[in-house]
Amino acid sequence: EIVMTQSPATLSVSPGERATLSCKASQSLSSNLAWYQQKPGQAPRLLIYGASTRATGIPARFSGSGSGTEFTLTISSLQSEDFAVYYCQQHNNWPLTFGGGTKVEVK
Amino acid sequence: EVQLVESGGGLVQAGGSLRLSCAASGFTFSTYSMNWVRQAPGKGLEWVSYISVSSSTIHYSDSVKGRFTISRDNARNSLFLQMNSLRDEDTAVYYCAGVGTRFDYWGQGTLVTVST
């Protein structure tokens, strides 16, 4: 099983600042990595797939990068609606696995 | 508009069974593989099971293998999860999610609570 490790567990950021979230895989994923955003009481929402392609309707302030085992989600200028939990997920091997999540909170 | 609507959750005793359903609309369900993903209270996301378009390929997480069965009815645009021998650790919100092996679409989830 591929283990996905996200860091940090919690990120405190002021509105308007940049947020950088990390996701590391225990084996190479090529670019088969997705990012999701989840707000309290809601289902997750796909943000990024293929490591760097924004899903439909996702603002340009969200960007993904990386390949192999190291990936990054960057939110260039945090808006109030961006404070949430973010998960990475690999879809390169079975079983599909998620990282433990990074909570982005208001500083 | 894509909609996935789960139903069938509830309170069940340990060792019991439940059958979850997911009704799909707004896209051609019969051409997409689907999944179940769950989230225990206050915890992260856990993939549970995958089924291909024709049901010919099915995968399960080790935690549910042998106890849960995924199925689909393309004529009724529906996805199912039969859950047997339920355990305390199966308590979670269960989401129907598609498509393929990444999750573009999610339902609102249905809560399964297993009492011991």
PDB file of all heavy atoms in Angstrom, chain A residues 34 36 38 42-46 49 87 89 91 94-96 98 100, chain B residues 35 37 39 43-47 50 59 95 101-104 106-107:
ATOM      1  N   ALA A  34      -4.117  13.620  -6.845  1.00  0.00           N
ATOM      2  CA  ALA A  34      -5.209  14.592  -6.817  1.00  0.00           C
ATOM      3  C   ALA A  34      -5.238  15.296  -5.467  1.00  0.00           C
ATOM      4  O   ALA A  34      -4.771  14.760  -4.456  1.00  0.00           O
ATOM      5  CB  ALA A  34      -6.540  13.906  -7.078  1.00  0.00           C
ATOM      6  N   TYR A  36      -7.917  17.577  -2.848  1.00  0.00           N
ATOM      7  CA  TYR A  36      -9.307  17.874  -2.521  1.00  0.00           C
ATOM      8  C   TYR A  36      -9.369  18.888  -1.386  1.00  0.00           C
ATOM      9  O   TYR A  36      -8.485  18.918  -0.523  1.00  0.00           O
ATOM     10  CB  TYR A  36     -10.055  16.610  -2.070  1.00  0.00           C
ATOM     11  CG  TYR A  36     -10.027  15.509  -3.092  1.00  0.00           C
ATOM     12  CD1 TYR A  36      -8.961  14.615  -3.142  1.00  0.00           C
ATOM     13  CD2 TYR A  36     -11.042  15.371  -4.029  1.00  0.00           C
ATOM     14  CE1 TYR A  36      -8.906  13.615  -4.100  1.00  0.00           C
ATOM     15  CE2 TYR A  36     -11.009  14.370  -4.984  1.00  0.00           C
ATOM     16  CZ  TYR A  36      -9.933  13.501  -5.013  1.00  0.00           C
ATOM     17  OH  TYR A  36      -9.884  12.518  -5.958  1.00  0.00           O
ATOM     18  N   GLN A  38     -12.019  20.142   1.713  1.00  0.00           N
ATOM     19  CA  GLN A  38     -13.231  19.789   2.442  1.00  0.00           C
ATOM     20  C   GLN A  38     -13.508  20.816   3.534  1.00  0.00           C
ATOM     21  O   GLN A  38     -12.642  21.089   4.364  1.00  0.00           O
ATOM     22  CB  GLN A  38     -13.136  18.397   3.059  1.00  0.00           C
ATOM     23  CG  GLN A  38     -14.461  17.929   3.662  1.00  0.00           C
ATOM     24  CD  GLN A  38     -14.397  16.540   4.241  1.00  0.00           C
ATOM     25  OE1 GLN A  38     -13.376  16.115   4.759  1.00  0.00           O
ATOM     26  NE2 GLN A  38     -15.513  15.804   4.165  1.00  0.00           N
ATOM     27  N   GLN A  42     -19.392  19.298   4.796  1.00  0.00           N
ATOM     28  CA  GLN A  42     -19.548  19.170   3.346  1.00  0.00           C
ATOM     29  C   GLN A  42     -18.740  17.996   2.817  1.00  0.00           C
ATOM     30  O   GLN A  42     -17.792  17.536   3.446  1.00  0.00           O
ATOM     31  CB  GLN A  42     -19.087  20.446   2.638  1.00  0.00           C
ATOM     32  CG  GLN A  42     -19.905  21.670   2.966  1.00  0.00           C
ATOM     33  CD  GLN A  42     -19.477  22.882   2.142  1.00  0.00           C
ATOM     34  OE1 GLN A  42     -18.789  22.761   1.119  1.00  0.00           O
ATOM     35  NE2 GLN A  42     -19.896  24.068   2.578  1.00  0.00           N
ATOM     36  N   ALA A  43     -19.128  17.542   1.629  1.00  0.00           N
ATOM     37  CA  ALA A  43     -18.334  16.537   0.935  1.00  0.00           C
ATOM     38  C   ALA A  43     -17.057  17.188   0.398  1.00  0.00           C
ATOM     39  O   ALA A  43     -17.011  18.409   0.179  1.00  0.00           O
ATOM     40  CB  ALA A  43     -19.137  15.941  -0.219  1.00  0.00           C
ATOM     41  N   PRO A  44     -16.030  16.404   0.192  1.00  0.00           N
ATOM     42  CA  PRO A  44     -14.815  16.954  -0.429  1.00  0.00           C
ATOM     43  C   PRO A  44     -15.111  17.452  -1.844  1.00  0.00           C
ATOM     44  O   PRO A  44     -16.082  17.042  -2.475  1.00  0.00           O
ATOM     45  CB  PRO A  44     -13.862  15.744  -0.459  1.00  0.00           C
ATOM     46  CG  PRO A  44     -14.370  14.838   0.606  1.00  0.00           C
ATOM     47  CD  PRO A  44     -15.864  15.000   0.584  1.00  0.00           C
ATOM     48  N   ARG A  45     -14.235  18.343  -2.312  1.00  0.00           N
ATOM     49  CA  ARG A  45     -14.332  18.884  -3.670  1.00  0.00           C
ATOM     50  C   ARG A  45     -12.993  18.704  -4.353  1.00  0.00           C
ATOM     51  O   ARG A  45     -11.956  19.058  -3.768  1.00  0.00           O
ATOM     52  CB  ARG A  45     -14.722  20.365  -3.625  1.00  0.00           C
ATOM     53  CG  ARG A  45     -14.764  21.040  -4.996  1.00  0.00           C
ATOM     54  CD  ARG A  45     -15.247  22.471  -4.930  1.00  0.00           C
ATOM     55  NE  ARG A  45     -14.328  23.397  -4.311  1.00  0.00           N
ATOM     56  CZ  ARG A  45     -14.190  24.682  -4.651  1.00  0.00           C
ATOM     57  NH1 ARG A  45     -14.905  25.172  -5.661  1.00  0.00           N
ATOM     58  NH2 ARG A  45     -13.375  25.470  -4.002  1.00  0.00           N
ATOM     59  N   LEU A  46     -13.007  18.195  -5.569  1.00  0.00           N
ATOM     60  CA  LEU A  46     -11.770  18.025  -6.331  1.00  0.00           C
ATOM     61  C   LEU A  46     -11.219  19.383  -6.745  1.00  0.00           C
ATOM     62  O   LEU A  46     -11.926  20.200  -7.332  1.00  0.00           O
ATOM     63  CB  LEU A  46     -12.029  17.172  -7.577  1.00  0.00           C
ATOM     64  CG  LEU A  46     -10.836  16.967  -8.516  1.00  0.00           C
ATOM     65  CD1 LEU A  46      -9.758  16.116  -7.852  1.00  0.00           C
ATOM     66  CD2 LEU A  46     -11.303  16.321  -9.826  1.00  0.00           C
ATOM     67  N   TYR A  49      -6.068  17.571 -10.372  1.00  0.00           N
ATOM     68  CA  TYR A  49      -5.796  16.187 -10.740  1.00  0.00           C
ATOM     69  C   TYR A  49      -4.592  16.151 -11.663  1.00  0.00           C
ATOM     70  O   TYR A  49      -4.160  17.196 -12.166  1.00  0.00           O
ATOM     71  CB  TYR A  49      -7.021  15.527 -11.387  1.00  0.00           C
ATOM     72  CG  TYR A  49      -7.455  16.149 -12.696  1.00  0.00           C
ATOM     73  CD1 TYR A  49      -6.976  15.681 -13.915  1.00  0.00           C
ATOM     74  CD2 TYR A  49      -8.359  17.213 -12.716  1.00  0.00           C
ATOM     75  CE1 TYR A  49      -7.373  16.247 -15.109  1.00  0.00           C
ATOM     76  CE2 TYR A  49      -8.758  17.788 -13.907  1.00  0.00           C
ATOM     77  CZ  TYR A  49      -8.272  17.305 -15.102  1.00  0.00           C
ATOM     78  OH  TYR A  49      -8.674  17.863 -16.288  1.00  0.00           O
ATOM     79  N   TYR A  87      -6.794  17.435   1.324  1.00  0.00           N
ATOM     80  CA  TYR A  87      -6.307  16.066   1.244  1.00  0.00           C
ATOM     81  C   TYR A  87      -5.662  15.815  -0.109  1.00  0.00           C
ATOM     82  O   TYR A  87      -6.171  16.256  -1.144  1.00  0.00           O
ATOM     83  CB  TYR A  87      -7.451  15.061   1.395  1.00  0.00           C
ATOM     84  CG  TYR A  87      -8.143  15.069   2.726  1.00  0.00           C
ATOM     85  CD1 TYR A  87      -9.296  15.816   2.947  1.00  0.00           C
ATOM     86  CD2 TYR A  87      -7.647  14.317   3.801  1.00  0.00           C
ATOM     87  CE1 TYR A  87      -9.937  15.818   4.169  1.00  0.00           C
ATOM     88  CE2 TYR A  87      -8.284  14.318   5.029  1.00  0.00           C
ATOM     89  CZ  TYR A  87      -9.421  15.070   5.203  1.00  0.00           C
ATOM     90  OH  TYR A  87     -10.056  15.066   6.425  1.00  0.00           O
ATOM     91  N   GLN A  89      -4.482  12.559  -2.685  1.00  0.00           N
ATOM     92  CA  GLN A  89      -4.912  11.189  -2.943  1.00  0.00           C
ATOM     93  C   GLN A  89      -4.154  10.642  -4.145  1.00  0.00           C
ATOM     94  O   GLN A  89      -4.057  11.298  -5.174  1.00  0.00           O
ATOM     95  CB  GLN A  89      -6.414  11.141  -3.233  1.00  0.00           C
ATOM     96  CG  GLN A  89      -6.947   9.769  -3.588  1.00  0.00           C
ATOM     97  CD  GLN A  89      -7.545   9.673  -4.981  1.00  0.00           C
ATOM     98  OE1 GLN A  89      -8.012  10.669  -5.538  1.00  0.00           O
ATOM     99  NE2 GLN A  89      -7.544   8.478  -5.573  1.00  0.00           N
ATOM    100  N   HIS A  91      -3.827   7.880  -7.156  1.00  0.00           N
ATOM    101  CA  HIS A  91      -4.621   6.934  -7.946  1.00  0.00           C
ATOM    102  C   HIS A  91      -3.716   6.237  -8.961  1.00  0.00           C
ATOM    103  O   HIS A  91      -4.069   6.044 -10.126  1.00  0.00           O
ATOM    104  CB  HIS A  91      -5.832   7.606  -8.593  1.00  0.00           C
ATOM    105  CG  HIS A  91      -5.544   8.843  -9.382  1.00  0.00           C
ATOM    106  ND1 HIS A  91      -5.428   8.840 -10.754  1.00  0.00           N
ATOM    107  CD2 HIS A  91      -5.376  10.126  -8.992  1.00  0.00           C
ATOM    108  CE1 HIS A  91      -5.192  10.061 -11.167  1.00  0.00           C
ATOM    109  NE2 HIS A  91      -5.155  10.865 -10.124  1.00  0.00           N
ATOM    110  N   TRP A  94      -3.505   0.266  -6.523  1.00  0.00           N
ATOM    111  CA  TRP A  94      -4.500  -0.210  -5.573  1.00  0.00           C
ATOM    112  C   TRP A  94      -3.792  -0.657  -4.304  1.00  0.00           C
ATOM    113  O   TRP A  94      -2.734  -1.273  -4.376  1.00  0.00           O
ATOM    114  CB  TRP A  94      -5.300  -1.378  -6.158  1.00  0.00           C
ATOM    115  CG  TRP A  94      -6.004  -1.026  -7.412  1.00  0.00           C
ATOM    116  CD1 TRP A  94      -5.633  -1.339  -8.685  1.00  0.00           C
ATOM    117  CD2 TRP A  94      -7.217  -0.238  -7.528  1.00  0.00           C
ATOM    118  NE1 TRP A  94      -6.528  -0.809  -9.572  1.00  0.00           N
ATOM    119  CE2 TRP A  94      -7.506  -0.134  -8.902  1.00  0.00           C
ATOM    120  CE3 TRP A  94      -8.064   0.377  -6.597  1.00  0.00           C
ATOM    121  CZ2 TRP A  94      -8.621   0.562  -9.358  1.00  0.00           C
ATOM    122  CZ3 TRP A  94      -9.164   1.072  -7.075  1.00  0.00           C
ATOM    123  CH2 TRP A  94      -9.433   1.153  -8.435  1.00  0.00           C
ATOM    124  N   PRO A  95      -4.377  -0.373  -3.128  1.00  0.00           N
ATOM    125  CA  PRO A  95      -5.593   0.405  -2.909  1.00  0.00           C
ATOM    126  C   PRO A  95      -5.350   1.903  -3.080  1.00  0.00           C
ATOM    127  O   PRO A  95      -4.243   2.393  -2.852  1.00  0.00           O
ATOM    128  CB  PRO A  95      -5.937   0.091  -1.454  1.00  0.00           C
ATOM    129  CG  PRO A  95      -4.610  -0.150  -0.814  1.00  0.00           C
ATOM    130  CD  PRO A  95      -3.774  -0.826  -1.849  1.00  0.00           C
ATOM    131  N   LEU A  96      -6.373   2.618  -3.494  1.00  0.00           N
ATOM    132  CA  LEU A  96      -6.293   4.068  -3.536  1.00  0.00           C
ATOM    133  C   LEU A  96      -6.127   4.574  -2.101  1.00  0.00           C
ATOM    134  O   LEU A  96      -6.755   4.052  -1.185  1.00  0.00           O
ATOM    135  CB  LEU A  96      -7.571   4.646  -4.145  1.00  0.00           C
ATOM    136  CG  LEU A  96      -7.987   4.072  -5.508  1.00  0.00           C
ATOM    137  CD1 LEU A  96      -9.286   4.712  -5.973  1.00  0.00           C
ATOM    138  CD2 LEU A  96      -6.883   4.255  -6.544  1.00  0.00           C
ATOM    139  N   PHE A  98      -5.407   8.080   0.645  1.00  0.00           N
ATOM    140  CA  PHE A  98      -5.401   9.511   0.917  1.00  0.00           C
ATOM    141  C   PHE A  98      -4.327   9.840   1.939  1.00  0.00           C
ATOM    142  O   PHE A  98      -3.960   8.999   2.780  1.00  0.00           O
ATOM    143  CB  PHE A  98      -6.740   9.942   1.520  1.00  0.00           C
ATOM    144  CG  PHE A  98      -7.907   9.919   0.569  1.00  0.00           C
ATOM    145  CD1 PHE A  98      -8.676   8.781   0.427  1.00  0.00           C
ATOM    146  CD2 PHE A  98      -8.254  11.053  -0.152  1.00  0.00           C
ATOM    147  CE1 PHE A  98      -9.764   8.758  -0.433  1.00  0.00           C
ATOM    148  CE2 PHE A  98      -9.344  11.053  -1.006  1.00  0.00           C
ATOM    149  CZ  PHE A  98     -10.098   9.901  -1.149  1.00  0.00           C
ATOM    150  N   GLY A 100      -3.327  12.207   5.308  1.00  0.00           N
ATOM    151  CA  GLY A 100      -4.072  12.469   6.526  1.00  0.00           C
ATOM    152  C   GLY A 100      -4.714  13.848   6.588  1.00  0.00           C
ATOM    153  O   GLY A 100      -5.519  14.108   7.481  1.00  0.00           O
TER     154      GLY A 100
ATOM    155  N   ASN B  35     -17.010   4.631  -7.049  1.00  0.00           N
ATOM    156  CA  ASN B  35     -16.358   4.256  -5.803  1.00  0.00           C
ATOM    157  C   ASN B  35     -17.246   4.559  -4.596  1.00  0.00           C
ATOM    158  O   ASN B  35     -18.167   5.372  -4.674  1.00  0.00           O
ATOM    159  CB  ASN B  35     -15.072   5.077  -5.610  1.00  0.00           C
ATOM    160  CG  ASN B  35     -14.074   4.876  -6.699  1.00  0.00           C
ATOM    161  OD1 ASN B  35     -13.164   4.065  -6.592  1.00  0.00           O
ATOM    162  ND2 ASN B  35     -14.198   5.646  -7.780  1.00  0.00           N
ATOM    163  N   VAL B  37     -16.301   5.925  -0.691  1.00  0.00           N
ATOM    164  CA  VAL B  37     -15.264   6.491   0.175  1.00  0.00           C
ATOM    165  C   VAL B  37     -15.935   6.790   1.509  1.00  0.00           C
ATOM    166  O   VAL B  37     -17.081   7.235   1.538  1.00  0.00           O
ATOM    167  CB  VAL B  37     -14.682   7.788  -0.433  1.00  0.00           C
ATOM    168  CG1 VAL B  37     -13.664   8.429   0.509  1.00  0.00           C
ATOM    169  CG2 VAL B  37     -14.051   7.511  -1.795  1.00  0.00           C
ATOM    170  N   GLN B  39     -15.618   8.316   5.771  1.00  0.00           N
ATOM    171  CA  GLN B  39     -14.933   9.232   6.681  1.00  0.00           C
ATOM    172  C   GLN B  39     -15.492   9.021   8.082  1.00  0.00           C
ATOM    173  O   GLN B  39     -16.646   9.361   8.347  1.00  0.00           O
ATOM    174  CB  GLN B  39     -15.117  10.671   6.228  1.00  0.00           C
ATOM    175  CG  GLN B  39     -14.325  11.690   7.007  1.00  0.00           C
ATOM    176  CD  GLN B  39     -14.353  13.063   6.355  1.00  0.00           C
ATOM    177  OE1 GLN B  39     -15.344  13.486   5.765  1.00  0.00           O
ATOM    178  NE2 GLN B  39     -13.233  13.776   6.436  1.00  0.00           N
ATOM    179  N   LYS B  43     -12.276  12.246  11.436  1.00  0.00           N
ATOM    180  CA  LYS B  43     -11.082  11.650  10.828  1.00  0.00           C
ATOM    181  C   LYS B  43     -10.974  11.995   9.346  1.00  0.00           C
ATOM    182  O   LYS B  43     -11.787  12.748   8.806  1.00  0.00           O
ATOM    183  CB  LYS B  43     -11.134  10.120  10.996  1.00  0.00           C
ATOM    184  CG  LYS B  43     -11.230   9.664  12.450  1.00  0.00           C
ATOM    185  CD  LYS B  43     -10.037  10.077  13.276  1.00  0.00           C
ATOM    186  CE  LYS B  43     -10.128   9.504  14.689  1.00  0.00           C
ATOM    187  NZ  LYS B  43      -8.979   9.945  15.526  1.00  0.00           N
ATOM    188  N   GLY B  44      -9.951  11.430   8.706  1.00  0.00           N
ATOM    189  CA  GLY B  44      -9.719  11.686   7.298  1.00  0.00           C
ATOM    190  C   GLY B  44     -10.516  10.770   6.388  1.00  0.00           C
ATOM    191  O   GLY B  44     -11.380  10.005   6.825  1.00  0.00           O
ATOM    192  N   LEU B  45     -10.207  10.868   5.103  1.00  0.00           N
ATOM    193  CA  LEU B  45     -10.920  10.112   4.085  1.00  0.00           C
ATOM    194  C   LEU B  45     -10.283   8.746   3.887  1.00  0.00           C
ATOM    195  O   LEU B  45      -9.056   8.602   3.920  1.00  0.00           O
ATOM    196  CB  LEU B  45     -10.897  10.885   2.761  1.00  0.00           C
ATOM    197  CG  LEU B  45     -11.540  12.268   2.803  1.00  0.00           C
ATOM    198  CD1 LEU B  45     -11.192  13.051   1.543  1.00  0.00           C
ATOM    199  CD2 LEU B  45     -13.041  12.156   2.970  1.00  0.00           C
ATOM    200  N   GLU B  46     -11.116   7.740   3.658  1.00  0.00           N
ATOM    201  CA  GLU B  46     -10.646   6.383   3.406  1.00  0.00           C
ATOM    202  C   GLU B  46     -11.407   5.801   2.224  1.00  0.00           C
ATOM    203  O   GLU B  46     -12.635   5.686   2.261  1.00  0.00           O
ATOM    204  CB  GLU B  46     -10.850   5.483   4.632  1.00  0.00           C
ATOM    205  CG  GLU B  46     -10.388   4.059   4.407  1.00  0.00           C
ATOM    206  CD  GLU B  46     -10.772   3.103   5.523  1.00  0.00           C
ATOM    207  OE1 GLU B  46     -11.607   3.477   6.378  1.00  0.00           O
ATOM    208  OE2 GLU B  46     -10.245   1.984   5.543  1.00  0.00           O
ATOM    209  N   TRP B  47     -10.688   5.432   1.186  1.00  0.00           N
ATOM    210  CA  TRP B  47     -11.320   4.759   0.054  1.00  0.00           C
ATOM    211  C   TRP B  47     -11.759   3.362   0.487  1.00  0.00           C
ATOM    212  O   TRP B  47     -11.043   2.666   1.220  1.00  0.00           O
ATOM    213  CB  TRP B  47     -10.334   4.675  -1.109  1.00  0.00           C
ATOM    214  CG  TRP B  47     -10.782   3.762  -2.198  1.00  0.00           C
ATOM    215  CD1 TRP B  47     -11.704   4.030  -3.179  1.00  0.00           C
ATOM    216  CD2 TRP B  47     -10.370   2.411  -2.408  1.00  0.00           C
ATOM    217  NE1 TRP B  47     -11.873   2.933  -3.979  1.00  0.00           N
ATOM    218  CE2 TRP B  47     -11.065   1.931  -3.532  1.00  0.00           C
ATOM    219  CE3 TRP B  47      -9.473   1.568  -1.763  1.00  0.00           C
ATOM    220  CZ2 TRP B  47     -10.900   0.632  -4.020  1.00  0.00           C
ATOM    221  CZ3 TRP B  47      -9.301   0.291  -2.241  1.00  0.00           C
ATOM    222  CH2 TRP B  47     -10.012  -0.173  -3.364  1.00  0.00           C
ATOM    223  N   TYR B  50     -14.175   0.092  -5.338  1.00  0.00           N
ATOM    224  CA  TYR B  50     -14.249   0.579  -6.718  1.00  0.00           C
ATOM    225  C   TYR B  50     -14.955  -0.464  -7.578  1.00  0.00           C
ATOM    226  O   TYR B  50     -14.773  -1.670  -7.369  1.00  0.00           O
ATOM    227  CB  TYR B  50     -12.833   0.781  -7.241  1.00  0.00           C
ATOM    228  CG  TYR B  50     -12.685   0.870  -8.750  1.00  0.00           C
ATOM    229  CD1 TYR B  50     -12.656   2.103  -9.392  1.00  0.00           C
ATOM    230  CD2 TYR B  50     -12.544  -0.284  -9.527  1.00  0.00           C
ATOM    231  CE1 TYR B  50     -12.501   2.187 -10.769  1.00  0.00           C
ATOM    232  CE2 TYR B  50     -12.396  -0.208 -10.907  1.00  0.00           C
ATOM    233  CZ  TYR B  50     -12.372   1.022 -11.519  1.00  0.00           C
ATOM    234  OH  TYR B  50     -12.220   1.101 -12.871  1.00  0.00           O
ATOM    235  N   HIS B  59     -12.497  -3.648  -6.746  1.00  0.00           N
ATOM    236  CA  HIS B  59     -11.432  -3.601  -5.751  1.00  0.00           C
ATOM    237  C   HIS B  59     -12.023  -3.194  -4.404  1.00  0.00           C
ATOM    238  O   HIS B  59     -12.996  -2.424  -4.341  1.00  0.00           O
ATOM    239  CB  HIS B  59     -10.350  -2.588  -6.135  1.00  0.00           C
ATOM    240  CG  HIS B  59      -9.571  -2.953  -7.359  1.00  0.00           C
ATOM    241  ND1 HIS B  59      -8.562  -3.892  -7.346  1.00  0.00           N
ATOM    242  CD2 HIS B  59      -9.658  -2.507  -8.637  1.00  0.00           C
ATOM    243  CE1 HIS B  59      -8.051  -3.996  -8.557  1.00  0.00           C
ATOM    244  NE2 HIS B  59      -8.708  -3.170  -9.366  1.00  0.00           N
ATOM    245  N   TYR B  95     -19.559   8.052   1.363  1.00  0.00           N
ATOM    246  CA  TYR B  95     -19.780   8.850   0.169  1.00  0.00           C
ATOM    247  C   TYR B  95     -19.714   7.976  -1.076  1.00  0.00           C
ATOM    248  O   TYR B  95     -18.809   7.133  -1.218  1.00  0.00           O
ATOM    249  CB  TYR B  95     -18.706   9.926   0.014  1.00  0.00           C
ATOM    250  CG  TYR B  95     -18.673  11.000   1.074  1.00  0.00           C
ATOM    251  CD1 TYR B  95     -17.743  10.964   2.106  1.00  0.00           C
ATOM    252  CD2 TYR B  95     -19.560  12.084   1.030  1.00  0.00           C
ATOM    253  CE1 TYR B  95     -17.683  11.967   3.061  1.00  0.00           C
ATOM    254  CE2 TYR B  95     -19.514  13.088   1.982  1.00  0.00           C
ATOM    255  CZ  TYR B  95     -18.566  13.012   2.995  1.00  0.00           C
ATOM    256  OH  TYR B  95     -18.519  14.010   3.934  1.00  0.00           O
ATOM    257  N   THR B 101     -10.701   6.596 -10.938  1.00  0.00           N
ATOM    258  CA  THR B 101      -9.916   6.425  -9.714  1.00  0.00           C
ATOM    259  C   THR B 101      -9.543   7.749  -9.066  1.00  0.00           C
ATOM    260  O   THR B 101      -8.810   7.786  -8.090  1.00  0.00           O
ATOM    261  CB  THR B 101      -8.639   5.629 -10.004  1.00  0.00           C
ATOM    262  OG1 THR B 101      -7.923   6.286 -11.062  1.00  0.00           O
ATOM    263  CG2 THR B 101      -8.971   4.208 -10.396  1.00  0.00           C
ATOM    264  N   ARG B 102     -10.042   8.837  -9.609  1.00  0.00           N
ATOM    265  CA  ARG B 102     -10.021  10.096  -8.894  1.00  0.00           C
ATOM    266  C   ARG B 102     -11.482  10.522  -8.768  1.00  0.00           C
ATOM    267  O   ARG B 102     -12.333   9.992  -9.467  1.00  0.00           O
ATOM    268  CB  ARG B 102      -9.192  11.158  -9.606  1.00  0.00           C
ATOM    269  CG  ARG B 102      -9.794  11.653 -10.890  1.00  0.00           C
ATOM    270  CD  ARG B 102      -9.127  12.931 -11.365  1.00  0.00           C
ATOM    271  NE  ARG B 102      -9.953  13.580 -12.339  1.00  0.00           N
ATOM    272  CZ  ARG B 102      -9.741  13.526 -13.661  1.00  0.00           C
ATOM    273  NH1 ARG B 102      -8.708  12.827 -14.147  1.00  0.00           N
ATOM    274  NH2 ARG B 102     -10.542  14.149 -14.490  1.00  0.00           N
ATOM    275  N   PHE B 103     -11.748  11.433  -7.860  1.00  0.00           N
ATOM    276  CA  PHE B 103     -13.137  11.659  -7.464  1.00  0.00           C
ATOM    277  C   PHE B 103     -13.603  13.063  -7.840  1.00  0.00           C
ATOM    278  O   PHE B 103     -13.565  13.981  -7.038  1.00  0.00           O
ATOM    279  CB  PHE B 103     -13.271  11.401  -5.963  1.00  0.00           C
ATOM    280  CG  PHE B 103     -12.634  10.097  -5.551  1.00  0.00           C
ATOM    281  CD1 PHE B 103     -11.596  10.073  -4.642  1.00  0.00           C
ATOM    282  CD2 PHE B 103     -13.048   8.897  -6.109  1.00  0.00           C
ATOM    283  CE1 PHE B 103     -10.990   8.881  -4.277  1.00  0.00           C
ATOM    284  CE2 PHE B 103     -12.455   7.698  -5.754  1.00  0.00           C
ATOM    285  CZ  PHE B 103     -11.418   7.691  -4.830  1.00  0.00           C
ATOM    286  N   ASP B 104     -14.086  13.170  -9.078  1.00  0.00           N
ATOM    287  CA  ASP B 104     -14.590  14.451  -9.561  1.00  0.00           C
ATOM    288  C   ASP B 104     -15.920  14.809  -8.909  1.00  0.00           C
ATOM    289  O   ASP B 104     -16.215  15.981  -8.690  1.00  0.00           O
ATOM    290  CB  ASP B 104     -14.814  14.394 -11.080  1.00  0.00           C
ATOM    291  CG  ASP B 104     -13.544  14.104 -11.852  1.00  0.00           C
ATOM    292  OD1 ASP B 104     -13.004  12.988 -11.718  1.00  0.00           O
ATOM    293  OD2 ASP B 104     -13.093  14.988 -12.596  1.00  0.00           O
ATOM    294  N   TRP B 106     -18.958  13.904  -5.885  1.00  0.00           N
ATOM    295  CA  TRP B 106     -19.249  13.322  -4.583  1.00  0.00           C
ATOM    296  C   TRP B 106     -20.714  13.521  -4.245  1.00  0.00           C
ATOM    297  O   TRP B 106     -21.306  14.545  -4.573  1.00  0.00           O
ATOM    298  CB  TRP B 106     -18.422  14.007  -3.487  1.00  0.00           C
ATOM    299  CG  TRP B 106     -16.948  13.870  -3.617  1.00  0.00           C
ATOM    300  CD1 TRP B 106     -16.131  14.492  -4.525  1.00  0.00           C
ATOM    301  CD2 TRP B 106     -16.085  13.087  -2.788  1.00  0.00           C
ATOM    302  NE1 TRP B 106     -14.822  14.130  -4.309  1.00  0.00           N
ATOM    303  CE2 TRP B 106     -14.768  13.278  -3.245  1.00  0.00           C
ATOM    304  CE3 TRP B 106     -16.292  12.245  -1.679  1.00  0.00           C
ATOM    305  CZ2 TRP B 106     -13.664  12.649  -2.656  1.00  0.00           C
ATOM    306  CZ3 TRP B 106     -15.209  11.636  -1.095  1.00  0.00           C
ATOM    307  CH2 TRP B 106     -13.900  11.831  -1.583  1.00  0.00           C
ATOM    308  N   GLY B 107     -21.285  12.535  -3.549  1.00  0.00           N
ATOM    309  CA  GLY B 107     -22.597  12.747  -2.968  1.00  0.00           C
ATOM    310  C   GLY B 107     -22.457  13.495  -1.655  1.00  0.00           C
ATOM    311  O   GLY B 107     -21.350  13.872  -1.249  1.00  0.00           O
TER     312      GLY B 107
END
